[in-house]
Amino acid sequence: MIPFSMKNGTLCVEDIPLPEIAARYGTPCYVYSHAYLTERARRFTNALDGAGKGKALIAFAVKANPSQAILASFAAEGLGADVVSAGEIQRAVTAGIPPERIVFSGVGKTAEEMEYALKIGIGQFNIESVPEIEMLAEVAASLGKVAPVALRINPDVDAHTHAKIATGKADTKFGIAAEQALSAYEKVACYPSLKIQGIASHIGSQITDLAPFEAAAQRIHEIIVALEKAGHPIETADLGGGLGVRYKDDQPEPPSIEAYGEMIKRVTKGWNCRLIFEPGRSLIANAGLLLSKVIRVKESKTARFVILDAAMNDLVRPTLYDAYHEIKAVTPAVDYYHADIVGPVCETGDIFARNRHIPTVKADDLMALMSAGAYGATMASVYNSRPLVAEVMVSGDKSSLIRKRQSVEDLMRDEQKPEWL
Ligand code: LLP
């Protein structure tokens, strides 16, 4: 299914022309295709069907997009959630994801977060260090509970992705070194308030080659075999997220969900445990765009700047990772020119694209920043006192506001002046 397509010279989301969305909800706004994100969830579920023992758990990485409407859409498809904070647990449960389908990752879980997760009954803690084992054991014991534990092992695999989003190399803060796995599991086994349930790994994000996933899975399997030999049966193997998506129209598609599924089935053949996956971007990135309006076009001595009403605070990926996002004119003109596409924020780095070849645009024209469904709205800030933008979900010819645009009053609501001022 193609979520965004040109119909009669206008870019549409499913059956709705984007100018209608802009007129109804204002700009900037995030727009998501419900049909597409549902299709991605189904494809992921089907591609992993038959892998591992029993039914694989597809736990959507909430950090990619924690919107209630999106989490509820995935809950309806039977997905679970991969979370990294008590806030994400609360969001997932509120959206209807059963606690037993939640896995809790992250290097800095606090005792309060552990307590919350234990009380709500989450399915698995992915523990990332020995001190964290000790803390969870203590918290679980104080509640009279037994915590289901997987250890996140750092397989020391190079995911060939952007350094800021690679997590599987030994020099990152993530996971427990493979060499320390056995002794860490032995430590878990000493605590009656902990139950060894599984093993976990996640090597990074936007990975466009299947080889690093295969290498990591093989490494995990070696550890499972060693653990079982040492008397620690492993029930679940969480192989993380990380499958990349296409950001550039003229680039080949990265491996499809189906190719990923085939590889996983081949590599995990004969594994005697249930598999868990934590996809984020691959389910939601290309289901969303950021719709923006041109404020004005400024010609300087050396460059042409198309100034949008969206900025780095709304979509930070280009500024933070030099990430490429396609930027489309919603009603493209026939002529093209080169321009820097920028936001109004007072930072030189507030640039979405440099010297991009685009159809000519003028003030009030609409532009769409594509592939913005993952790590878009969720990473937004209110820098320059720019309120968080609206978010809209479309299904066929229906659209619905799923997040109201903030007001400046909202921004100031929790602020106060000292009484002595
Ligand atoms: N599981 C764990 C433990 C993770 O840390 C992540 C992402 C995922 C799953 C989901 O990975 P995905 O399938 O989405 O690749 N803000 C960056 C991406 C940061 C990813 C952080 N961890 C970006 O905009 O590219």
Side-chain angles (χ1 to χ4, degrees):
M1 172 292 136
I2 298 171
F4 306 106
S5 59
M6 285 307 236
K7 291 178 190 157
N8 303 323
T10 302
L11 187 60
C12 297
V13 48
E14 299 196 20
D15 299 335
I16 306 184
L18 282 167
E20 279 180 26
I21 299 284
R24 181 156 174 203
Y25 303 101
T27 60
C29 69
Y30 278 95
V31 187
Y32 305 101
S33 158
H34 182 259
Y36 188 73
L37 66 91
T38 304
E39 182 189 275
R40 298 294 283 183
R42 286 184 192 164
R43 280 177 60 186
F44 214 102
T45 306
N46 292 338
L48 275 313
D49 187 34
K53 196 166 122 188
K55 196 174 176 317
L57 171 65
I58 314 298
F60 173 63
V62 172
K63 64 172 83 69
N65 194 317
S67 151
Q68 283 295 290
I70 284 166
L71 296 182
S73 306
F74 286 143
E77 295 303 318
L79 267 54
D82 162 58
V83 302
V84 292
S85 68
E88 287 190 349
I89 296 176
Q90 199 174 336
R91 278 183 172 277
V93 171
T94 307
I97 294 177
E100 63 275 13
R101 290 198 200 138
I102 297 180
V103 295
F104 191 4
S105 310
V107 296
K109 302 176 199 77
T110 65
E112 291 72 29
E113 288 181 312
M114 290 173 177
E115 186 176 329
Y116 177 70
L118 281 165
K119 284 186 176 160
I120 230 165
I122 66 150
Q124 180 167 298
F125 288 84
N126 289 351
I127 296 293
E128 306 220 13
S129 66
V130 171
E132 196 188 333
I133 296 172
E134 292 160 0
M135 182 186 270
L136 181 61
E138 218 171 279
V139 175
S142 73
L143 296 174
K145 292 197 181 275
V146 177
V149 168
L151 296 187
R152 176 170 172 183
I153 303 302
N154 187 324
D156 197 14
V157 164
D158 188 344
H160 305 297
T161 187
H162 191 287
K164 282 190 184 159
I165 53 174
T167 55
K169 285 290 287 169
D171 59 357
T172 66
K173 68 180 174 185
F174 299 101
I176 295 170
E179 302 70 42
Q180 289 159 7
L182 191 54
S183 69
Y185 274 97
E186 261 150 22
K187 175 125 195 153
V188 177
C190 292
Y191 292 104
S193 60
L194 302 180
K195 172 186 178 287
I196 295 180
Q197 176 164 294
I199 187 163
S201 93
H202 169 79
I203 56 172
S205 198
Q206 185 54 15
I207 301 168
T208 53
D209 168 11
L210 295 179
F213 289 117
E214 185 163 343
Q218 275 160 351
R219 191 90 190 86
I220 291 301
H221 192 236
E222 288 163 17
I223 299 170
I224 295 175
V225 171
L227 288 170
E228 300 208 318
K229 242 191 221 151
H232 306 298
I234 296 295
E235 292 164 28
T236 62
D238 179 343
L239 298 178
L243 184 62
V245 299
R246 185 162 77 165
Y247 279 95
K248 279 188 186 174
D249 281 353
D250 63 358
Q251 269 191 352
E253 280 285 352
S256 65
I257 288 175
E258 288 71 23
Y260 174 79
E262 284 309 312
M263 178 277 292
I264 292 287
K265 281 193 222 168
R266 174 170 53 77
V267 176
T268 61
K269 206 164 178 201
W271 291 25
N272 192 28
C273 46
R274 184 181 187 212
L275 299 182
I276 301 175
F277 299 89
E278 303 172 351
R281 189 188 318 261
S282 56
L283 299 188
I284 194 69
N286 281 321
L289 57 72
L290 175 59
L291 182 61
S292 180
K293 194 164 74 179
V294 176
I295 299 176
R296 66 181 60 88
V297 180
K298 169 177 168 174
E299 310 272 352
S300 81
K301 226 158 69 184
T302 52
R304 171 182 296 119
F305 296 98
V306 170
I307 304 170
L308 300 182
D309 64 357
M312 62 183 279
N313 69 296
D314 304 308
L315 176 67
V316 77
R317 301 192 70 256
T319 304
L320 197 55
Y321 314 115
D322 290 321
Y324 184 100
H325 285 258
E326 289 293 350
I327 304 178
K328 294 190 195 293
V330 168
T331 45
V334 280
D335 303 326
Y336 276 67
Y337 57 26
H338 283 88
D340 287 2
I341 304 173
V342 303
V345 159
C346 293
E347 295 260 354
T348 315
D350 183 22
I351 297 188
F352 290 125
R354 206 179 273 286
N355 202 26
R356 189 72 68 86
H357 197 223
I358 52 165
T360 58
V361 286
K362 55 184 186 324
D364 293 332
D365 283 355
L366 294 170
M367 299 198 87
L369 293 112
M370 309 303 290
S371 311
Y375 308 109
T378 182
M379 291 179 77
S381 77
V382 294
Y383 185 42
N384 278 206
S385 289
R386 294 169 47 86
L388 294 180
V389 304
E391 292 177 71
V392 176
M393 186 176 273
V394 169
S395 175
D397 59 2
K398 292 194 301 274
S399 71
S400 176
L401 186 67
I402 59 168
R403 189 188 209 292
K404 200 174 131 202
R405 184 180 305 283
Q406 274 189 326
S407 65
V408 178
E409 288 70 33
D410 291 332
L411 298 188
M412 296 188 293
R413 180 152 302 137
D414 298 324
E415 296 179 26
Q416 53 193 25
K417 296 182 191 128
E419 77 253 3
W420 39 261
L421 196 73

